[in-house]
Amino acid sequence: MPGRRAAALSGSSRNVKMAADLGELLVPYMPTIRVPKSGDRVYKTECAFSYDSPLSEGGLYVCMSTFLGFGREHVERHYRKTGQSVYMHLKRHVRQKETGASGGALPRRINGKLFLDLEIDADFNSDDYELEDEAKLVIFPDHFEIALPNIEELPALVTIACDAVLNSKSPYRKLEQESWEEELQVSKFANNLVQIDNGVRIPPSGWKCAKCELRENLWLNLTDGSIMCGKWFCSGSGGNGHALEHHKQLGYPLAVKLGTITPDGADVYSFDEEEAVLDPHLAKHLAHFGIDMLQMHGTENGVMDNEVKPRVSEWEIIQETGLKLKPMFGSGYTGIRNQGNSSYLSTVMQVIFSIPEFQRAYVGNLTRIFDYAPLDPTHDFSTQMAKLGHGLLSGLYSKPPVKCELIEQVMTEEHKLQPKGITTRMFKAFISRWHTEFSSNRQQDAQEFFLHLIGLAERNSIGSENPTDVFRFLVEERTQCCQSRKVRYTERVDYIMQLPVAMEAAINKDDLIAYELKRREAESSKRPPPEIVRARIPFSACLQAFTEPENVDDFWSSALQAKSAGVMTSRFASFPEYLVIQIKKFTFGLDWVPKKLDVAVEMPDVLDVNHLRAKGLQPGEEELPNIAPPIVIPDDPKDRFRNHFMEAPDIDESSVMQLAEMGFPLEACRKAVYYTGSMGAELAFNWIIAHMEDPDFAEPLNIPGCAAASAQPSYELQAQINLPPEEIVALITSMGFQRKHAIQALRATNNNLERALDWIFSHPECEDEADNTSQSVDDENNPQSNGILTDNEPEGPRVKDGNGRYELLAFISHIGTSTMSGHYVCHIKKEGRWVIYNDHKVSASERPPKDLGYLYFYHRIAC
């Protein structure tokens, strides 16, 4: 406390001598004390492994070398792992004011201020309590304490480092400032942008790149209305760079990203200025191509203005407003505080960690994951998933209010805060760091985030249990040429069953017509609108719409060797353990205004989809020939819409080698280079990311009429491709690791030594497998043999097939007019009763609105 220069928490015989010279005490540790630089993130508000903070009973320890924060239960692990001895201990005390204190007085503050940037509930930020922040240096392992500030006796370097840590800004605030969407400048091309009057009108959906037909990361050029894909990113997402290539050919400077257009603007990029920019005339430039976004109305936080409330009843029904909901506390009933448009993330994670497979994979392996975490656990997927899962399931952050008599006893010393849920700042910062949309502060689509999470879990489950297997299923797609009547059966991997809304099947059409007439009459006479009437859609109608054949755009018939009309139907080739169903409520109107279908779908508690099981090729059906369409190479810009059918190009073996060295199957690399026209490893890499789940991903390349292109490489070449550089392998094995484990780690990390070592520590089960694999001395010196031994990837996607009978487990509901705004709430069935999770509030549900959900999670049950 103030006035105490040095103390020791350990009861050693040293008896904590008051150091006459604190500088002498710190001399052995000076090389490990750093001053934070501009790029360093200082985590002084949250533990890297738990949700402990300076408000927690044990406070928070900040490493003075890495600036990571640790709760009392985790700081010893970091000390043992790194040998770092000096930590800054931060603690905020909350005490009730003494009797007779002035009611209007401000809280008393140590050192004249509250120097910790912490959130605190309004109940404790009142005149009834006083808040005190305390900081001190702690030296491990003897727990010597040095109270701060102590400018006179501490070395200058230590004083500067301590001040820099205490005055550092939140790392999450710094991330927001680093976001490319902040502080944008008006483009120099915006005022005088030339737009070609070529009659192009952009439809509200169905976009694809004009050159490669990619359907994501698409950019609309504001000069000629062409739609092209963007560049690819190191996260594996993105496109083939055709938008930039289009600019280099024609010089048209500005493009807007499709899918980001809102009434407040959109993501606009200037190719010449090489940065994101502002376009003050964006509405005019978009209107040139038939896009009118000015009719939408909303506020920044997604909640509608007070004067316009078209969905008040939806808000009340989904949140069960007006009902006396009983709060729930304890394990599995922990809420997540809203950090501003973050409900899409919190609802998905609440459902994810209600599933036993995710609980076992992360919370069940908590100790092992934490022990083998990399030196920076804030950037490790498994660590952050385990941390979040433990926070939601432990019950440590969901405790009922303390009874009055206990409060009186506690208040005599110090008030112990009862945490109201947890925050997901660290988790969100990590999981969204490579994603432009999720890293922003805008509301997002819960379905898109679910798939993003699945992708991250897939990529981070190498050699370990993959809980996402419970969602994965195979879809059989039957494509038929309408002219030849021949068919093709293919399989693809999916995680969500998307059901269209069959509006024409509404069972209350008369009520809907009457409501529309009353609404128009009220609007014309300026009277209050009538009570909303929603279309009630039978679930069976949506299921029937899913089974109907759909037209295939730009279908090329191998039977006719030409484009033709084609239809496709989808069936389940396997049924997942957990079936996720999305009701496709969100769409675009003809005026480009995004809207949400205000419907109620009568979802069943028990669902049987066994009749949708795929049956494969049927008697009497004739298969389409297995002939690939010719590669289409666009000509010069003036003639780019005319197709030129070229002969198959030679395969660039250098690109094949470059991709194979990343760890991808050799045949997949050859196909990627071939299907991208041997235009470089970058484009081929994009092809691989988009086709990794294809059933024939690693099968040999079959080019009709071109046998030489599909020839196998020599045995020596294949072995050389499969092996990482021998000098790096030798370096890792010299550290005591098995050769097979070293090769596996290097292949999983693109031959990056530092990442490979982290991979080895975080995958100890692979080392155990390597120990059980006996290899002779000849194998150790034979690169061909070792290359083949390491190639034990499973064939095809893993699925947990079973019967198609399910019971409703959870559902996520959306409130608002668009996925870009509004609020999400989820309901989960636990212990036989429904529970509503609405941000940090967790309560027993009285009337779960099962007909207004957006995402539904079903669990397989016995037939």
Side-chain angles (χ1 to χ4, degrees):
M1 291 299 175
R4 183 176 61 183
R5 289 193 330 182
L9 297 181
S10 61
S12 65
S13 58
R14 276 182 283 260
N15 224 7
V16 189
K17 297 192 251 174
M18 300 292 283
D21 185 358
L22 294 180
E24 182 180 343
L25 177 65
L26 289 169
V27 164
Y29 311 106
M30 291 293 288
T32 66
I33 298 177
R34 293 178 51 230
V35 178
K37 300 178 181 178
S38 59
D40 290 330
R41 308 188 192 280
V42 180
Y43 296 91
K44 60 178 182 178
T45 60
E46 182 180 345
C47 173
F49 293 103
S50 71
Y51 292 93
D52 287 347
S53 72
L55 282 165
S56 303
E57 186 175 357
L60 190 74
Y61 294 82
V62 178
C63 174
M64 292 301 292
S65 177
T66 64
F67 311 116
L68 294 170
F70 303 97
R72 187 165 59 185
E73 295 184 3
H74 301 285
V75 65
E76 292 280 358
R77 176 191 292 109
H78 187 258
Y79 163 70
R80 292 193 303 268
K81 192 170 185 177
T82 65
Q84 170 62 28
S85 299
V86 183
Y87 297 82
M88 180 181 291
H89 182 254
L90 302 174
K91 181 75 175 82
R92 169 166 289 183
H93 304 275
V94 181
R95 297 186 179 88
Q96 191 176 34
K97 286 187 176 180
E98 298 178 1
T99 306
S102 173
L106 294 174
R108 178 167 57 89
R109 304 180 178 186
I110 286 183
N111 304 328
K113 65 177 181 178
L114 292 173
F115 49 79
L116 295 178
D117 184 17
L118 298 175
E119 291 182 358
I120 190 166
D121 295 332
D123 296 341
F124 301 99
N125 194 18
S126 67
D127 295 336
D128 296 330
Y129 303 96
E130 57 184 6
L131 310 179
E132 298 181 351
D133 289 346
E134 179 185 16
K136 56 191 174 186
L137 288 180
V138 180
I139 304 177
F140 282 69
D142 296 318
H143 292 270
F144 281 105
E145 296 180 0
I146 303 173
L148 297 175
N150 207 327
I151 300 176
E152 294 81 6
E153 301 182 53
L154 288 178
L157 175 65
V158 177
T159 300
I160 294 173
C162 291
D163 287 343
V165 169
L166 291 174
N167 294 321
S168 62
K169 294 182 179 180
S170 165
Y172 315 113
R173 186 176 302 168
K174 190 177 296 185
L175 283 173
E176 293 171 7
Q177 292 174 352
E178 292 170 358
S179 175
W180 67 272
E181 62 183 325
E182 298 292 339
E183 300 180 1
L184 302 183
Q185 302 297 319
V186 174
S187 171
K188 64 181 180 181
F189 302 102
N191 291 332
N192 301 310
L193 182 69
V194 176
Q195 293 189 283
I196 300 174
D197 190 9
N198 52 11
V200 172
R201 291 294 179 268
I202 306 300
S205 60
W207 320 301
K208 60 183 178 181
C209 177
K211 289 192 175 182
C212 67
E213 300 193 352
L214 197 69
R215 296 180 181 271
E216 61 181 13
N217 191 25
L218 298 176
W219 293 78
L220 169 68
N221 192 287
L222 291 176
T223 296
D224 64 353
S226 61
I227 297 176
M228 303 284 180
C229 60
K231 64 181 180 179
W232 73 287
F233 305 110
C234 54
S235 62
S237 61
N240 296 320
H242 288 140
L244 178 59
E245 181 182 315
H246 182 71
H247 162 71
K248 290 180 178 178
Q249 292 174 347
L250 299 178
Y252 301 154
L254 298 182
V256 59
K257 186 175 182 180
L258 294 176
T260 68
I261 304 171
T262 70
D264 300 322
D267 294 347
V268 181
Y269 187 81
S270 172
F271 297 105
D272 287 323
E273 295 162 288
E274 296 185 343
E275 63 179 352
V277 295
L278 292 177
D279 179 4
H281 310 291
L282 182 61
K284 170 189 171 184
H285 293 155
L286 291 174
H288 181 82
F289 300 109
I291 303 174
D292 182 6
M293 302 300 294
L294 299 182
Q295 298 181 26
M296 296 191 302
H297 299 279
T299 59
E300 183 177 357
N301 60 5
V303 181
M304 301 301 293
D305 290 328
N306 293 331
E307 297 178 358
V308 184
K309 297 184 178 180
R311 297 180 182 271
V312 172
S313 57
E314 179 190 55
W315 185 276
E316 294 175 346
I317 293 172
I318 290 178
Q319 295 192 112
E320 302 188 51
T321 304
L323 301 177
K324 293 183 179 180
L325 303 181
K326 179 183 177 182
M328 303 191 70
F329 303 95
S331 175
Y333 300 107
T334 302
I336 300 177
R337 294 200 291 272
N338 196 319
Q339 303 299 315
N341 289 329
S342 62
S343 58
Y344 71 93
L345 181 149
S346 59
T347 51
V348 170
M349 299 314 301
Q350 290 283 11
V351 175
I352 285 293
F353 278 110
S354 69
I355 295 174
E357 285 78 1
F358 280 86
Q359 296 174 2
R360 288 195 300 268
Y362 297 108
V363 183
N365 292 319
L366 185 82
T367 302
R368 182 184 65 82
I369 291 174
F370 284 178
D371 286 344
Y372 288 96
L375 295 180
D376 186 356
T378 65
H379 287 167
D380 181 64
F381 180 81
S382 296
T383 300
Q384 292 307 308
M385 284 288 285
K387 170 185 171 178
L388 178 58
H390 181 262
L392 294 176
L393 300 175
S394 65
L396 295 175
Y397 309 98
S398 175
K399 296 181 179 179
V402 183
K403 295 182 179 180
C404 295
E405 58 270 17
L406 295 179
I407 289 182
E408 293 178 1
Q409 298 174 13
V410 173
M411 286 304 182
T412 58
E413 297 181 0
E414 180 170 331
H415 186 78
K416 296 182 180 179
L417 296 177
Q418 297 300 329
K420 294 183 178 180
I422 59 178
T423 61
T424 56
R425 282 197 187 96
M426 186 178 293
F427 180 80
K428 183 177 184 291
F430 165 73
I431 207 168
S432 63
R433 59 178 177 164
W434 298 118
H435 197 287
T436 303
E437 292 301 316
F438 297 140
S439 60
S440 72
N441 286 326
R442 297 188 294 267
Q443 188 65 276
Q444 303 297 330
D445 190 340
Q447 178 256 358
E448 292 182 1
F449 177 74
F450 171 77
L451 292 178
H452 177 68
L453 178 73
I454 293 297
L456 287 175
E458 292 273 6
R459 293 196 291 272
N460 287 275
S461 62
I462 302 175
S464 61
E465 178 184 2
N466 185 0
T468 63
D469 291 347
V470 300
F471 296 122
R472 190 184 304 107
F473 60 92
L474 295 176
V475 177
E476 178 193 84
E477 293 182 337
R478 176 185 181 272
T479 306
Q480 184 174 34
C481 173
C482 296
Q483 188 169 345
S484 68
R485 311 303 296 174
K486 295 183 180 181
V487 299
R488 174 181 294 118
Y489 285 87
T490 58
E491 287 187 353
R492 62 174 173 84
V493 171
D494 213 333
Y495 297 89
I496 294 180
M497 180 185 187
Q498 295 182 313
L499 288 187
V501 177
M503 292 295 295
E504 68 282 355
I507 61 177
N508 58 340
K509 292 181 180 178
D510 293 341
D511 295 337
L512 292 172
I513 294 173
Y515 163 73
E516 185 62 21
L517 291 174
K518 292 180 180 178
R519 187 192 65 79
R520 292 181 180 179
E521 182 180 343
E523 184 177 333
S524 61
S525 59
K526 297 184 179 181
R527 296 200 309 267
E531 184 176 350
I532 292 177
V533 176
R534 289 186 178 83
R536 305 201 64 83
I537 313 295
F539 174 76
S540 57
C542 298
L543 201 60
Q544 179 63 32
F546 171 81
T547 63
E548 294 294 328
E550 59 180 290
N551 294 325
V552 179
D553 296 332
D554 298 325
F555 175 69
W556 188 86
S557 172
S558 59
L560 305 176
Q561 295 286 300
K563 287 191 174 182
S564 175
V567 294
M568 183 177 66
T569 55
S570 301
R571 295 293 186 271
F572 286 93
S574 69
F575 290 118
E577 184 73 20
Y578 288 84
L579 178 61
V580 183
I581 297 178
Q582 176 194 15
I583 303 299
K584 299 175 68 175
K585 292 184 174 183
F586 298 101
T587 183
F588 282 91
L590 295 178
D591 54 0
W592 256 81
V593 176
K595 64 179 181 179
K596 173 180 168 183
L597 300 177
D598 195 2
V599 298
V601 180
E602 300 170 351
M603 300 296 292
D605 288 317
V606 177
L607 171 64
D608 193 333
V609 290
N610 278 298
H611 64 287
L612 297 181
R613 170 77 73 170
K615 299 179 180 179
L617 187 68
Q618 296 298 296
E621 290 183 334
E622 185 177 355
E623 286 190 274
L624 285 164
N626 188 21
I627 301 175
I631 295 178
V632 179
I633 305 295
D635 203 355
D636 59 88
K638 297 180 180 179
D639 196 25
R640 71 178 187 277
F641 295 109
R642 194 174 68 213
N643 292 342
H644 296 262
F645 297 93
M646 309 291 292
E647 294 183 359
D650 294 333
I651 295 179
D652 181 8
E653 291 295 341
S654 63
S655 296
V656 174
M657 290 278 291
Q658 187 175 348
L659 293 169
E661 288 174 356
M662 298 180 185
F664 298 115
L666 179 63
E667 283 303 324
C669 299
R670 293 178 62 79
K671 288 198 290 187
V673 174
Y674 169 70
Y675 285 121
T676 54
S678 291
M679 298 178 68
E682 186 174 303
L683 296 183
F685 177 83
N686 242 358
W687 187 95
I688 287 178
I689 294 301
H691 294 80
M692 286 184 68
E693 298 294 351
D694 291 355
D696 60 345
F697 176 66
E699 292 182 5
L701 174 64
N702 181 19
I703 306 176
C706 187
S710 59
Q712 290 287 339
S714 66
Y715 184 77
E716 292 78 7
L717 176 61
Q718 185 171 0
Q720 180 183 352
I721 290 174
N722 284 338
L723 270 184
E726 185 61 32
E727 58 272 16
I728 305 182
V729 176
L731 183 59
I732 296 179
T733 54
S734 68
M735 301 178 186
F737 299 107
Q738 294 283 342
R739 176 183 177 85
K740 180 179 179 181
H741 199 197
I743 294 175
Q744 191 174 5
L746 287 168
R747 293 181 64 190
T749 57
N750 195 18
N751 297 332
N752 184 297
L753 177 60
E754 184 177 353
R755 289 174 54 205
L757 291 174
D758 276 345
W759 191 94
I760 290 175
F761 284 118
S762 60
H763 295 80
E765 68 283 350
C766 296
E767 188 173 12
D768 295 338
E769 294 173 6
D771 291 339
N772 296 329
T773 303
S774 61
Q775 291 180 275
S776 65
V777 176
D778 291 339
D779 290 338
E780 284 287 334
N781 297 320
N782 189 340
Q784 296 178 3
S785 174
N786 282 289
I788 295 173
L789 283 173
T790 57
D791 190 13
N792 51 11
E793 294 288 331
E795 293 185 3
R798 294 178 297 182
V799 295
K800 295 189 174 183
D801 197 7
N803 75 82
R805 183 175 170 83
Y806 296 91
E807 182 179 8
L808 184 61
L809 166 72
F811 60 94
I812 296 174
S813 307
H814 176 267
I815 308 168
T817 58
S818 167
T819 54
M820 296 179 291
S821 62
H823 182 64
Y824 286 95
V825 175
C826 72
H827 289 72
I828 305 175
K829 196 172 187 179
K830 292 191 174 183
E831 300 177 343
R833 60 185 174 187
W834 285 99
V835 179
I836 177 174
Y837 292 79
N838 188 0
D839 291 336
H840 68 278
K841 295 177 290 185
V842 181
S843 308
S845 174
E846 294 292 332
R847 298 176 190 170
K850 289 181 282 189
D851 57 343
L852 296 180
Y854 174 49
L855 294 178
Y856 293 85
F857 295 77
Y858 282 85
H859 181 220
R860 181 157 54 211
I861 58 176
C863 289

